[in-house]
């Protein structure tokens, strides 16, 4: 196959959702469609179970599952789909944000009963930063939820995106009868539990066709006609370019657990979702996937479950050219060449050693400590991909070393765990205090547990009441002055960049106002 055809054939995306909206269920249906699994229930939920005996034991169970489901690749109607999994727990949101830097589009699942929820908002904010194209799947139409027009309004307003429904529901809950496909002009009746491959849509090109009354009854047919007239008037035809620019999101209604509305969405997805897109580097260039020389970046690092082996798996997203096994590639940050004898892909759940990979693919690389998140590999070129930032953490704790004999191990452990992206490490600018910043409390348990298990280092954490960490840049003199005044609040991140820890929102706003020559950044790339 021609190289450009290989690229065109690929679609790399993630399913995102607030926990419990139906991400796992929908993912499973996709895999059934793609023939990657044969039976329902094969995809393990990556949620932290409620009431689990111990959170970190649960996390360990999770780590096992999440290696296997990190990337799920399958073919559907001649399209090679790479579905990147994201953690189900909000405390691991940062992991999700990073995964979103490696996809070209997303499918957002919204629960029809709960509408927009906290995580839906946060995840969409990250998508907006890169204008990632979004398709919305409104799930659980078999339950009594919010009215569709109200839901659309809520999503548009809360997520600041314009929507474009491509299917429209006929009732909901007990009375849910199915959807009308506004694009194909066909009716799909709801039959709970149908097989993934069943297609029983009925063409109804003219919404006034009496066949509609026969199929759904006069009352519902009349309501649908009214709705469709309104929808046609407001939305017209979907402009695929605007979707690809991330400015409008097609919407599908369905019920994932009943495999309803999933097929239409997948068919539309392979038709409109973007193939691998160009990516920006730190030289200000945009690297096209068709660029013949290989390049890619690391967006996730997964530690080995066996504490006796420190090796890890680094996930590489191929951005341009062809990645080949046993070929030397340039590790830009370390300025050294590395080759990989056992790179693997994630086709149909099984890990397979691969000889090559193309833009859009994700390759698993064994790593003995060379990588950290955001690292770039090239065929010699000297640039780093941008757009893989750390986000301002929200919970801060100081590390207290409980065993001074193990100081070295502790330093190494902290450094490696934070390279993996488990948390962010800040060191006091004029001192040696070490502070860890996380998005969620669970991560502290993970760090404490893993430091002991994998590095033999015992730590305690002292909670600190900081509100936010922001990276600061600006006029050298002003920065020096600011450091003098705010000494106790100035830290350095792992790359030596200055970070200001604000005690409260009020303090932060006051400092921003009082220091117009200093820029305060809420992510590590500026
Ligand atoms: P998540 O990965 O987004 O966290 O959600 P998941 O798919 O695990 O789904 C959360 C719950 O919602 C599950 O129920 C699942 O069965 C249910 N669900 C998913 N799709 C639909 C739908 O279309 N309609 C209805 N009514 N429910 C749906 P659970 O009780 O938590 O788990 P389970 O015991 O059913 O697996």
């Amino acid at each position: 196959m021609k190289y450009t055809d290989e690229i065109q054939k690929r679609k790399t995306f993630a399913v995102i959702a607030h926990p419990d909206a139906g991400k796992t269920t929908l993912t499973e249906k996709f895999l059934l469609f793609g023939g990657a699994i044969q039976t329902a229930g094969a995809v393990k939920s990556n949620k932290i179970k409620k009431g689990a005996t111990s959170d970190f034991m649960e996390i360990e169970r999770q780590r096992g599952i999440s290696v296997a489901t990190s990337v799920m690749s399958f073919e559907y109607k001649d399209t090679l789909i790479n579905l990147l999994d994201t953690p189900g727990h909000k405390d691991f949101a940062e992991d999700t944000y990073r995964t979103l830097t490696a996809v070209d589009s997303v499918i957002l699942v919204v629960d029809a009963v709960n509408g927009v929820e906290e995580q839906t908002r946060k995840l969409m904010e990250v998508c907006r930063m890169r204008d990632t194209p979004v398709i919305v799947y409104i799930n659980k139409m078999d339950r009594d939820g919010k009215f569709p027009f109200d839901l659309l309004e809520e999503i548009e307003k809360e997520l600041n995106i314009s929507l474009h429904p491509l299917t429209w529901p006929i009732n909901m809950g007990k009375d849910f009868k199915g959807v009308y496909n506004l694009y194909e002009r066909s009716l799909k009746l709801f039959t709970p539990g149908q097989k993934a491959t069943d297609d029983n849509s009925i063409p109804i090109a003219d919404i006034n066709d009496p066949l509609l009354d026969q199929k759904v009854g006069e009352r519902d047919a009349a309501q649908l006609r009214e709705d469709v007239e309104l929808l046609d008037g407001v939305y017209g035809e979907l402009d695929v370019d605007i979707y690809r620019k991330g400015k409008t999101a097609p919407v599908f209604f369905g019920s994932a657990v009943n495999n309803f509305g999933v097929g239409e969405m997948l068919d539309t997805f392979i038709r409109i979702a973007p193939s691998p897109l160009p990516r920006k580097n730190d030289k200000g260039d945009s690297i096209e996937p068709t660029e013949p020389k290989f390049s890619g970046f690391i967006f996730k690092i997964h530690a080995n479950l066996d504490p006796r082996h420190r090796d890890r798996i680094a996930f590489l997203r191929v951005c341009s050219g062809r990645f080949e096994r046993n070929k030397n590639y340039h590790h830009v940050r370390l300025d050294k060449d590395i080759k990989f004898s056992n790179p693997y892909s994630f086709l149909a759940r099984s890990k397979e050693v691969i000889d090559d990979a193309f833009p859009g693919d994700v390759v698993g690389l064994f790593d003995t400590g060379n990588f950290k998140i955001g690292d770039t590999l090239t065929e010699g070129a000297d640039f780093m991909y941008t757009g893989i930032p750390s986000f301002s953490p929200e919970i801060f704790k100081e590390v207290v070393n409980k065993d001074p004999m193990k100081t070295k191990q502790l330093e190494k452990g902290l450094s490696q765990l934070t390279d993996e992206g488990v948390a962010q490490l800040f060191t006091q600018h004029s001192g040696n205090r070490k502070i860890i910043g996380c998005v969620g409390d669970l991560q502290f348990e993970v760090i404490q547990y893993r430091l002991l298990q994998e590095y033999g280092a015992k730590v305690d954490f002292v909670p600190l009441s900081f509100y936010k960490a922001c990276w600061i840049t600006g006029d050298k003199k002003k920065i020096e002055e600011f450091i003098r005044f705010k000494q106790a609040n100035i830290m350095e991140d792992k790359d030596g960049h200055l970070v200001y820890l604000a005690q409260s929102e009020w303090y932060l706003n006051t400092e921003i106002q009082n220091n117009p020559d200093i820029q305060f950044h809420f992510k590590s790339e500026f």
Side-chain angles (χ1 to χ4, degrees):
M1 190 184 281
K2 269 203 351 241
Y3 172 66
T4 45
D5 293 341
E6 287 282 3
I7 300 172
Q8 280 311 313
K9 197 182 153 180
R10 283 161 164 78
K11 311 261 180 197
T12 302
F13 82 111
V15 180
I16 54 174
H18 185 87
D20 267 349
K23 179 174 73 78
T24 311
T25 314
L26 185 66
T27 301
E28 181 167 284
K29 302 300 173 192
F30 283 154
L31 297 182
L32 283 166
F33 268 98
I37 55 171
Q38 266 66 46
T39 50
V43 177
K44 294 280 178 292
S45 167
N46 68 4
K47 263 184 297 195
I48 307 281
K49 275 192 198 142
K50 291 182 200 90
T53 38
S54 141
D55 278 332
F56 56 74
M57 291 299 281
E58 186 61 15
I59 291 158
E60 287 299 289
R61 184 188 68 88
Q62 282 275 325
R63 285 211 289 145
I65 293 173
S66 65
V67 184
T69 61
S70 284
V71 187
M72 291 162 274
S73 300
F74 58 95
E75 285 218 28
Y76 178 69
K77 298 190 179 170
D78 292 332
T79 299
L80 203 155
I81 298 178
N82 294 313
L83 170 50
L84 274 51
D85 194 26
T86 53
H89 196 283
K90 74 170 173 40
D91 284 9
F92 295 89
E94 185 97 49
D95 220 15
T96 302
Y97 303 157
R98 278 192 299 261
T99 297
L100 293 183
T101 65
V103 300
D104 298 303
S105 70
V106 300
I107 290 182
L108 169 70
V109 186
V110 176
D111 182 327
V113 183
N114 296 332
V116 174
E117 297 172 85
E118 188 197 343
Q119 273 307 103
T120 334
R121 252 178 241 113
K122 289 202 173 155
L123 290 163
M124 272 303 289
E125 264 171 42
V126 178
C127 292
R128 307 309 313 236
M129 278 172 7
R130 295 180 54 237
D131 291 326
T132 308
V134 180
I135 292 179
V136 177
Y137 180 74
I138 298 183
N139 191 25
K140 307 196 185 179
M141 290 307 293
D142 58 321
R143 295 183 55 195
D144 286 316
K146 302 187 178 186
F147 283 109
F149 281 112
D150 293 346
L151 253 178
L152 293 193
E153 198 184 322
E154 176 181 323
I155 298 171
E156 288 200 324
K157 226 161 82 200
E158 293 235 18
L159 303 183
N160 189 24
I161 187 164
S162 79
L163 298 178
H164 193 120
L166 291 183
T167 63
W168 195 252
I170 302 158
N171 296 330
M172 64 176 86
K174 279 197 309 297
D175 300 324
F176 183 51
K177 289 194 177 155
V179 293
Y180 182 67
N181 190 323
L182 296 156
Y183 168 75
E184 285 179 355
R185 299 272 149 185
S186 61
L187 177 71
K188 188 145 192 204
L189 293 173
F190 177 57
T191 358
Q194 66 184 166
K195 278 208 208 86
T197 43
D198 290 352
D199 184 14
N200 54 3
S201 52
I202 306 157
I204 299 189
D206 177 1
I207 191 81
N208 292 314
D209 189 333
L211 184 62
L212 183 64
D213 301 77
Q214 272 178 40
K215 294 289 178 194
V216 301
E218 270 175 36
R219 193 182 55 109
D220 289 334
Q223 181 64 51
L224 182 67
R225 287 185 184 115
E226 205 179 292
D227 290 351
V228 169
E229 195 183 331
L230 189 66
L231 292 163
D232 283 347
V234 174
Y235 296 102
E237 219 170 278
L238 174 73
D239 184 333
V240 174
D241 274 344
I242 298 184
Y243 152 71
R244 287 194 183 151
K245 289 190 176 117
K247 302 293 181 217
T248 194
V251 179
F252 291 84
F253 289 85
S255 168
V257 80
N258 290 298
N259 195 31
F260 189 79
V262 181
E264 296 93 293
M265 181 165 66
L266 198 53
D267 285 339
T268 306
F269 171 82
I270 58 168
R271 191 167 55 81
I272 67 172
S275 296
L277 295 168
R279 299 192 77 90
K280 290 215 170 63
N281 67 17
D282 60 350
K283 303 282 185 273
D285 301 324
S286 194
I287 306 293
E288 293 290 332
T290 47
E291 152 73 41
K293 289 215 159 123
F294 159 77
S295 67
F297 68 90
I298 305 294
F299 65 94
K300 179 180 172 124
I301 294 174
H302 211 294
N304 199 314
L305 281 170
D306 183 347
R308 286 166 303 176
H309 301 282
R310 285 268 173 74
D311 55 335
R312 316 183 282 185
I313 303 162
F315 290 76
L316 170 85
R317 147 98 197 205
V318 180
C319 296
S320 69
R322 188 168 138 194
F323 172 89
E324 287 173 76
R325 186 158 82 97
N326 277 330
K327 189 166 169 179
N328 266 316
Y329 290 120
H330 186 55
H331 187 312
V332 180
R333 180 177 56 88
L334 298 183
D335 190 21
K336 74 173 186 186
D337 288 350
I338 309 184
K339 67 177 169 191
F340 304 92
S341 49
N342 288 310
Y344 60 78
S345 76
F346 303 84
L347 258 177
R349 281 200 312 152
S350 62
K351 287 194 299 194
E352 270 171 33
V353 171
I354 46 147
D355 289 320
D356 56 4
F358 295 90
D361 285 342
V362 173
V363 181
L365 304 174
F366 283 107
D367 172 38
T368 47
N370 282 316
F371 288 120
K372 67 180 193 179
I373 285 166
D375 275 342
T376 300
L377 285 177
T378 68
E379 222 176 301
D382 202 14
F383 66 74
M384 294 283 283
Y385 277 110
T386 55
I388 315 120
S390 299
F391 294 87
S392 182
E394 288 159 18
I395 306 175
F396 302 89
K397 292 188 183 180
E398 183 167 354
V399 183
V400 180
N401 186 357
K402 298 294 282 180
D403 183 355
M405 301 293 286
K406 295 280 168 67
T407 304
K408 263 210 165 123
Q409 286 87 332
L410 173 61
E411 301 250 327
K412 186 168 181 187
L414 281 176
S415 168
Q416 292 200 341
L417 291 184
T418 46
D419 274 355
E420 261 177 53
V422 179
Q424 289 178 59
L425 179 66
F426 302 106
T427 310
Q428 198 175 20
H429 178 61
S430 53
N432 203 23
R433 283 175 78 191
K434 288 200 167 17
I435 292 176
I436 287 191
C438 285
V439 180
D441 251 329
L442 268 180
Q443 273 138 314
F444 289 102
E445 282 189 50
V446 176
I447 295 166
Q448 197 173 33
Y449 176 73
R450 288 189 53 194
L451 280 175
L452 188 62
Q453 295 295 314
E454 295 168 33
Y455 300 88
K458 208 167 169 199
V459 294
D460 264 352
F461 292 112
V462 179
L464 301 172
S465 60
F466 288 116
Y467 161 71
K468 237 184 182 110
C470 6
W471 287 264
I472 50 171
T473 53
D475 179 76
K476 201 169 164 229
K477 270 219 167 86
K478 302 277 181 198
I479 292 269
E480 279 169 7
E481 208 173 292
F482 187 70
I483 292 176
R484 245 194 339 271
F485 278 115
K486 291 272 152 201
Q487 220 162 40
N489 298 53
I490 305 293
M491 306 282 148
E492 283 177 20
D493 73 5
K494 283 187 79 176
D495 300 318
H497 295 130
L498 289 171
V499 175
Y500 164 60
L501 293 188
Q503 295 95 314
S504 69
E505 195 174 0
W506 182 84
Y507 267 104
L508 179 59
N509 290 335
T510 311
E511 296 305 347
I512 292 174
Q513 260 177 20
N514 291 348
N515 294 284
D517 297 319
I518 295 179
Q519 285 84 50
F520 295 77
H521 310 271
F522 295 96
K523 49 189 171 75
S524 65
E525 272 181 5
F526 28 82

